[in-house]
Amino acid sequence: MTAAPETTVSARFLGLLARDLPPDRLSTDPGVLAAHATDRSGTRPPGEPLAVVHARRTEDVTVTLRHAHALGVPVVPRGAGTVRQLPR
C-alpha cells in the first residue's frame, strides 16, 4: 500500500521546513495548530493547518514559501489574528 499523494507531499514539506528552519520557528503541536486555525472573530478557513511557522526573519518566509510553491502546498498568512479592515 502506498501513501496518498497529499500525505507524501505533507511529509516532504514538513521535512524540508524542519531541515531549513531553526527548530523554534516550526510548530506542529496540536494546541498551536488549533490556536492558529481561526482568528479572533471566529472565522475559520476550510481545512486544517499542517504547521505554523513563527517567522522572525525574511529568510524564514522565503524558505517557507519556496518549499510551499515547489510542492503546491497552500499557505495562509496570519498577522495579529484579527480581520479588522482599515477604514477607506
Side-chain angles (χ1 to χ4, degrees):
M1 177 185 233
T2 60
E6 61 274 359
T7 302
T8 303
V9 169
S10 297
R12 175 99 174 111
F13 183 58
L14 289 175
L16 290 168
L17 292 179
R19 181 191 74 189
D20 294 343
L21 292 172
D24 65 329
R25 310 282 165 81
L26 177 65
S27 181
T28 57
D29 177 85
V32 173
L33 298 180
H36 286 81
T38 186
D39 63 21
R40 291 183 189 164
S41 75
T43 300
R44 184 180 186 110
E48 297 296 322
L50 178 63
V52 173
V53 175
H54 303 280
R56 293 195 185 127
R57 299 174 29 209
T58 303
E59 183 178 290
D60 299 337
V61 176
T62 302
V63 164
T64 302
L65 294 180
R66 181 178 67 232
H67 292 316
H69 177 73
L71 295 171
V73 175
V75 173
V76 177
R78 186 173 192 270
T82 64
V83 293
R84 292 180 54 174
Q85 296 181 352
L86 296 175
R88 293 181 187 217

